[in-house]
Structure formats: structure tokens, C-alpha cells
Amino acid sequence: MSMIEDKKTRIIFFGDSITQAGVKPGGYIQLMQDMLKAKKMDDKYELMGAGIGGNKIYDLYLRMEDDVLAKKPDVVVVWVGVNDVWHKASYGTGTDADKFERFYNAVVKKLQANNIKVYLTTPSTIGEKTDNSNQQDGDLNHYSNIIRKVATQNNCGLIDLRKEFLAYNIKNNTANKESGILTIDRVHLNEAGNRFVAEKMMEVVSKN
Amino acid sequence: MSMIEDKKTRIIFFGDSITQAGVKPGGYIQLMQDMLKAKKMDDKYELMGAGIGGNKIYDLYLRMEDDVLAKKPDVVVVWVGVNDVWHKASYGTGTDADKFERFYNAVVKKLQANNIKVYLTTPSTIGEKTDNSNQQDGDLNHYSNIIRKVATQNNCGLIDLRKEFLAYNIKNNTANKESGILTIDRVHLNEAGNRFVAEKMMEVVSKN
Amino acid sequence: MSMIEDKKTRIIFFGDSITQAGVKPGGYIQLMQDMLKAKKMDDKYELMGAGIGGNKIYDLYLRMEDDVLAKKPDVVVVWVGVNDVWHKASYGTGTDADKFERFYNAVVKKLQANNIKVYLTTPSTIGEKTDNSNQQDGDLNHYSNIIRKVATQNNCGLIDLRKEFLAYNIKNNTANKESGILTIDRVHLNEAGNRFVAEKMMEVVSKN
Amino acid sequence: MSMIEDKKTRIIFFGDSITQAGVKPGGYIQLMQDMLKAKKMDDKYELMGAGIGGNKIYDLYLRMEDDVLAKKPDVVVVWVGVNDVWHKASYGTGTDADKFERFYNAVVKKLQANNIKVYLTTPSTIGEKTDNSNQQDGDLNHYSNIIRKVATQNNCGLIDLRKEFLAYNIKNNTANKESGILTIDRVHLNEAGNRFVAEKMMEVVSKN
């Protein structure tokens, strides 16, 4: 590795299918790469995706050695929670709230023990309706509260995507639609969603 | 049956375990009976409970002939929905939203075809937290929207318990507790809850 | 309708996605049609599919007037149960066993009250492994027991597909595979499966 | 600690509510203690229970440091799996089969890395019917297959309770009852069940 490369800040985005799609053309990580290039900052940062579809917090826990620690990042952004809630209804294998917190804490503490700066995000949406009538809204709010607590307790940065998505939808989803505002299918990001997330995530870059 | 009895307006409360408990001492139906007595109106109304624990909308549909129509009520108050939502997580046998609407409509139409005046209620709570972080909040809001639509479409009276409970909790549950304000266990009514419901339900009596 | 057509025995296959696919080219109902043609019996029978994807027993109940009774069949073959069991895990909206029995009985009795001869089938498979280790095996066996009881109690013919599929798999699925023997995906019929079912169903034709 | 005590072989039973009840009077661990006493072998073995109600494999994983390793046992008997399967239907938070295997392997390997001899057991029953029509039979068989594989791969002893319970029930539960043979409630052991398990588990003692 050259000395110039050594100076790059390596940021890994660690998550589920949303993050897996983030590295594809038009994906939020790819868009951040483009933003960095436009600002001529792409020699300073290296962005990597580590997203796998269907992942829950304990999947991240089980694969963090291989997929994150082995790559020696400076910063890790964790975006997880949708499947922990969603799989309750779709497979019967969601994550208990108290176990979610325990595994989430274990992930954060292990990253920090490796001198990695950690940012947490709240799970954006399963459904974009703004009147709190998406099936998983209550549970997503509950798990988001847990993540906010974990962030505070461990002095992590927080990108509160759930709050940001709702605020955006209240303005832009006046028809109370299920999807099509920031998502294609209630969960995964459309073009506007990828742009929206990229902008929010750039805050991580700007501070590191 | 005496002529005086014949003049009584017969009101049946048709529902699940919450209504089943309503006829017990301290239950909301019993409290209404006491209120009527205090107002010397108990010769004008006959209140009957037809609640069975665990019932979902299609249970009401299956037993409405025997438990309601056979008793020739003048008014029926339907209070159902908690188990349709809750049993998704606790047994895997909740009710699909579209089937909920179809069976609910079938119940209402059959009652009306028997010249019964029908009142609908929205499902109050599964958890009393006020920040929309109770697990089933999203789904309960969704099913409440369906009930409101069914009420409008069929010109039924509506007692919007979900809205009323939330408003009460926002004032009285400032600690954001799960239960203990209007319920004993997030779902079933405590003393304050029975009183609260009895007062709301008296509106049905006063209009009939 | 001509007099000759009037003499045809009309058989309706009433079910879920498996039956919906049965009318497509290569589907089991289409294959039966071909068999009848080869035997020059196609002027005696009219086969009709009434299958809709995702249907559970109460979906059949809700649409039987429009989709079956209105067509005045002589014979109805009911094939349902997979979704009643499967949707417990995949949506949280499976059907309670006791309600399954009640709605199933209601469907049978209403068909019989319209002078329709009724055949019942047991739900074939969700997974073709033969060591009783498919996730829903226990529940499918339970619901099959209920169907056998309903058939006996109401003097319906029974085509015991679950039993037949297992016997076939014990012979032909020695590698204990999940799918690929009679199904493409653990549930829906492949070519061999459609042929197998068509042959079993021809018994209904031969007796009517 | 005295020298005599130091020589005792310490066996920890690590599991869920079934094991939690095992240390109570009449519980299977208590019965084993009595058996050892009767054979005047109680100075050679120390039996300890480490069962907590509701535990799944990842609960064992999360608490194994504190509850097992800290106590420096010579032998550990792992009995888990019922809740991993059951909680799919009762909370929506069962354990995916592949994660079950991963966490189970992690538990075994960590125990072995601490020079502990490890015995595995298969989950006995959720329902004692013998015709494979208990709701979770398919899934319990699947998870039992996983445990048998983990035992083989890691050279662990295996006490195949699922197989043993079924064999016992085929002989003694000719009425095909759900419970009352070896369990009180389809899952937890009655008197006969505790005796039956104690006898099977004594095999572990006799080999160590």
C-alpha cells in the first residue's frame, strides 16, 4: 500500500440489503463517492460497503471479524434494524428487543475496542405512510429508541434516519402513500432516497 | 315478558375479553348499569355483554346468530380488533387487513339487515406508551382506520376509543409507561379504564 | 348453451395458487382435460378452475357464492390448507385450527345444500423431505387430520394428497430433497407433480 | 475449597426453563443427585443447573462466560432448542436454522476451548402426539438434525432426547394425547418425565 493510500480515511458502511444496494450505480455509497470526487476529496476517503441482504444485528455480530475488523477501517457506520423487526412477521425470526440491544452493544464495543470511530443510524422505514399506520411503525420506533440509547451510552455519532425520513415524508408524502417517496417498495431506496441518505451520511465524512 | 320490560332498549356489547370482563363487578358494562340506576333510567335500558376472550372479527361473524341476533337487540356495540392484530405475533393467526374489513362489513350489514342500530369502536391499546413505540401501534392504527371507514360507509355510530385512550394517556401518562394508566396489562382495563370506557359508551345510551 | 353441453358434468376445482396454476398449459386440470379427450370423454365433463393465489379456507368461504355456486357445478373438489398453515410464519395471519374446521364445515355444508357433490383433498406439501423435518410438517399433518374428519362427518369423497405425496416421495426422493420431486419450490407442482395430481383427481371424474 | 471437593467432577446443565425446573425438588437434576447418593457416588460428582426460562441458543451464547465458564466445570450438558422453534409462533422471535447452527457451534467450540467435555441433547417435545401432528414437529426434527450434526462434527456426546421421548410415547401414549405422558403442558416435565430424563442423563455421569 502506498503512503498516499495509507492516509485515506477508510469508512465502512455495515448493514443489510439497503447497504448492499448502496454500492451499486446510483446507490447512496456510490453517490457519496461522486460527491467526494466533485469536491476533489476522493483522495482523502475510501468508502466501502459491507451490506448483506436479510441481515439482523446478530448477523453483523457474527461476521464483523471477517467483513469489518479484518479491513481495518477508521470509521464504521452501522445501519441495521429493519430485518430485526420485519422478520417477526415474515419468518417468525425477528430479534427480541432486549437481545437486539445486547448484540448491538457488543458490536459497538468491539469496534471501539479496535479504535474505530462508530456511527449509528436508526432504521428508516417499512412503509412511508406518515400517520403511524405502517404495520411495523411501533416496533421500528421502539428499536430506534434502543439505538439512540446505545449511541448515547457509547458516545457514538447518530444519524437519525427514521426521524429524517418521517420529516421528509410529512412534507413530501401528503397523499400518505406506502412507498414511492424515498423508497421503491416501502424499504429499499429509490433515486430520491439514495440521494437523501447520501447527503445525511456526508456528515460522517465531513467530521472525519 | 312484561310490557314494561318490552319497552326497554336492549343494547348488546359484542366483543372480546375486554368486553367479557365488562360484565364483572367493576367492569365497564356493570358501571354503566350503575350509572343508569343513579339516573333512574335503568327501566329504559337493558345492557348485555357478549364478549369472549381471544375473539377476532371472524369469531364474531361465526357466533353472531347465536349470541347476538337470537337475543333481538335494538342496539349493538362492536368492540374488536386487538386480537386480530395481536395474534399475528402471539400465535401467527392474526387477521389480514383486507379480510378484517370484509368480515367486519359482513357483521355490520347482517346486524343492520335485522334492523339493529350499530355502533363501532376502535381497538384501544396494546401498550399505553404515547410515543408510538408500542409494538402493535402501527397495525392498530391501520385497523382503526379500516373501522372508521366501515363506520362511515355503513352510517354507524363511532366511539373512537383508540383516539380517546391516546389523548387521555398524553395527558396522564407523562412517564410513557406501558400499562397502569387505563389498563392493568397494556390491554385489559383497570378501574380508571373501566370508568373511562363506561363514560364514553354512555353516549350510545343517551342517543337511543 | 346447447342440450349436449347441458348434459356435461361440471366439476369445479376450488382452491389456492396450486389450483390457479392448474388451468395453465401443463397444469393438472389441463392435463385432466387432455386425458378426457384421449378417452373421448370430453363431451361428458366440463372442468373448471377456481383457484386464487394465497387463499385460505375463509377466502374460499367469502367468495364461494360468486366463484362456485353461481356457476352451478355438479361436483366441487376443494383443495386448500397450505396457506392456512404457511401464513402463520410468513405473514402472521394463518388460520387457527378450530376456525379452519368451522369455516371448512361451513363451505362443505353450503355446497351440499346446493346439491353439489363434494370432494376434499388434504394439503400436499410445504417441503418434500421425507423425514418429517419440513418446518410445517406437524401443522400440515394436524390440518390434514381435520380435513379427513370433515370428510367423514359430511360423507365427502377424500383425495388424500398429503398421504399420496409422502408415499411417492419415500420411493422417489431418497436424497431427502426439499423440492424438485413433485414440486418446483416445495409447494407448487412441477411436471411430474401435475401429472401425479391429475391421475389422482381422475378418480373423481371416473365416479361421476 | 477442600481437597475432596476439588476432586469432584463438576457437571453443569446449561439450558432453558426445563433445566431451570430441573434443580427444584423432583426435578431431573435433583433426581440425579438422589441417584448418586443412593449409589454413594455423591462425593465424586457435583451437579449444577444453569437454566433460564425462555432461553434460546444465543441467550446461552451471551451468558456462557458468567454462568458456565466462570464456574470452571469439567462437563457441560447443553439442552436447548425448544424456544428457538417455539418463539417463531409465540413471539415472532425464533432463531433462523442457519443462525441456530452458527451460535450452537460457537457455544460448543468455546466450551471445548476451555477443556470442557460437552454433551448435546436434542429438544424433546412441544406436544407429545406420536403421529407427527404437533405444530412444531417438523421444525423440531429439523433443529434436532442440526444438533446431531454439530455433535458429530465436534465429537460431542449426544443424548437424543427427541428420539427417546418419541419412542417412549409410541409405547405409552397410545391415545395420542398432547401432554400428560412425560410432560405437564406439552413441554415441561412431569414426574415421569423428570425420572425418564434423569435416567438418560446418568449416562453422562457414568462416563465421566
Side-chain angles (χ1 to χ4, degrees), chain C:
Chain C
M1 212 183 275
S2 75
M3 286 189 65
I4 290 165
E5 280 182 338
D6 279 349
K7 283 178 188 165
K8 280 191 180 180
T9 298
R10 179 172 284 186
I11 305 175
I12 293 186
F13 296 87
F14 192 28
D16 56 28
S17 58
I18 304 175
T19 296
Q20 190 173 20
V23 297
K24 292 186 186 162
Y28 76 89
I29 299 170
Q30 192 57 51
L31 291 180
M32 292 174 74
Q33 193 64 47
D34 297 345
M35 291 173 184
L36 288 174
K37 215 169 211 166
K39 297 182 180 183
K40 299 194 192 294
M41 288 165 62
D42 53 323
D43 59 335
K44 297 222 174 82
Y45 297 96
E46 183 183 26
L47 309 184
M48 297 176 69
I52 292 187
N55 268 204
K56 295 175 285 202
I57 186 63
Y58 53 68
D59 294 288
L60 300 195
Y61 177 84
L62 286 168
R63 68 186 181 85
M64 70 184 298
E65 292 275 2
D66 294 342
D67 292 0
V68 179
L69 297 180
K71 288 169 183 161
K72 302 195 176 303
D74 302 290
V75 179
V76 168
V77 181
V78 182
W79 186 2
V80 78
V82 159
N83 295 313
D84 298 85
V85 166
W86 202 6
H87 287 195
K88 291 184 188 182
S90 58
Y91 296 103
T93 58
T95 311
D96 302 297
D98 59 336
K99 306 310 152 37
F100 182 77
E101 184 171 345
R102 287 198 62 174
F103 277 113
Y104 211 128
N105 264 309
V107 166
V108 169
K109 284 177 197 307
K110 200 164 190 176
L111 290 170
Q112 290 180 332
N114 282 271
N115 292 316
I116 296 166
K117 197 163 171 183
V118 183
Y119 285 80
L120 309 187
T121 65
T122 49
S124 37
T125 69
I126 307 174
E128 300 193 62
K129 288 189 289 179
T130 59
D131 62 346
N132 275 303
S133 73
N134 304 290
Q135 184 175 342
Q136 278 81 13
D137 273 347
D139 228 15
L140 281 176
N141 288 333
H142 182 37
Y143 284 60
S144 293
N145 283 342
I146 292 170
I147 292 168
R148 289 172 193 129
K149 187 174 78 171
V150 171
T152 302
Q153 287 174 341
N154 295 282
N155 292 310
C156 300
L158 177 73
I159 302 161
D160 201 338
L161 292 178
R162 181 147 182 82
K163 195 177 149 191
E164 303 275 10
F165 269 57
L166 182 58
Y168 184 93
N169 264 292
I170 285 172
K171 274 193 202 152
N172 296 283
N173 182 13
T174 49
N176 203 31
K177 293 198 293 177
E178 282 212 318
S179 63
I181 313 302
L182 293 171
T183 75
I184 47 171
D185 59 359
R186 304 193 306 138
V187 172
H188 298 93
L189 306 174
N190 66 10
E191 200 188 319
N194 273 299
R195 222 178 321 114
F196 187 75
V197 169
E199 282 159 16
K200 299 298 168 198
M201 292 285 195
M202 282 302 284
E203 159 189 343
V204 176
V205 173
S206 67
K207 290 184 180 165
N208 287 284

Side-chain angles (χ1 to χ4, degrees), chain A residues 7-57:
Chain A
K7 284 180 187 163
K8 278 191 179 181
T9 298
R10 180 172 283 187
I11 305 176
I12 293 186
F13 296 86
F14 192 26
D16 56 27
S17 58
I18 305 175
T19 295
Q20 191 172 20
V23 296
K24 292 185 185 162
Y28 77 89
I29 299 169
Q30 193 56 52
L31 291 179
M32 291 174 74
Q33 194 64 46
D34 297 345
M35 291 173 184
L36 288 173
K37 216 169 211 168
K39 295 181 180 184
K40 300 193 190 296
M41 289 164 63
D42 53 323
D43 59 335
K44 299 221 175 83
Y45 298 97
E46 184 183 25
L47 310 184
M48 297 176 69
I52 293 187
N55 268 205
K56 294 174 285 202
I57 186 64

Side-chain angles (χ1 to χ4, degrees), chain A residues 56 58-59 61-62 87-88 91-96 99 102-103, chain D residues 56 58-59 61-62 87-88 91-96 99 102-103:
Chain A
K56 294 174 285 202
Y58 54 69
D59 295 288
Y61 177 83
L62 286 167
H87 287 196
K88 292 185 186 181
Y91 296 102
T93 57
T95 311
D96 302 298
K99 305 312 153 33
R102 286 200 60 176
F103 278 111
Chain D
K56 294 176 285 202
Y58 53 69
D59 294 289
Y61 177 83
L62 286 167
H87 287 196
K88 290 186 187 181
Y91 296 103
T93 57
T95 311
D96 302 297
K99 304 314 152 34
R102 288 199 61 175
F103 278 112

Side-chain angles (χ1 to χ4, degrees), chain B residues 6 22 36 49 55 61 75 81 123 126 138 168 170 173 200 202:
Chain B
D6 278 349
L36 288 174
N55 268 204
Y61 177 83
V75 178
I126 306 174
Y168 183 93
I170 285 172
N173 183 12
K200 300 299 168 197
M202 282 302 283

Side-chain angles (χ1 to χ4, degrees), chain B residues 23-93:
Chain B
V23 297
K24 292 184 184 162
Y28 76 88
I29 299 169
Q30 192 57 51
L31 291 180
M32 292 175 74
Q33 193 65 46
D34 297 344
M35 290 173 183
L36 288 174
K37 213 167 212 168
K39 295 181 180 182
K40 300 192 191 295
M41 288 165 63
D42 53 323
D43 59 335
K44 298 219 175 85
Y45 297 97
E46 183 183 27
L47 310 185
M48 297 176 69
I52 292 187
N55 268 204
K56 295 175 285 203
I57 186 64
Y58 53 69
D59 294 287
L60 299 195
Y61 177 83
L62 286 167
R63 67 185 182 86
M64 69 184 300
E65 292 276 0
D66 293 342
D67 292 1
V68 177
L69 296 181
K71 289 172 180 157
K72 302 196 177 302
D74 302 289
V75 178
V76 168
V77 181
V78 182
W79 186 1
V80 78
V82 159
N83 294 312
D84 297 86
V85 166
W86 202 6
H87 288 196
K88 292 185 186 181
S90 58
Y91 296 102
T93 57

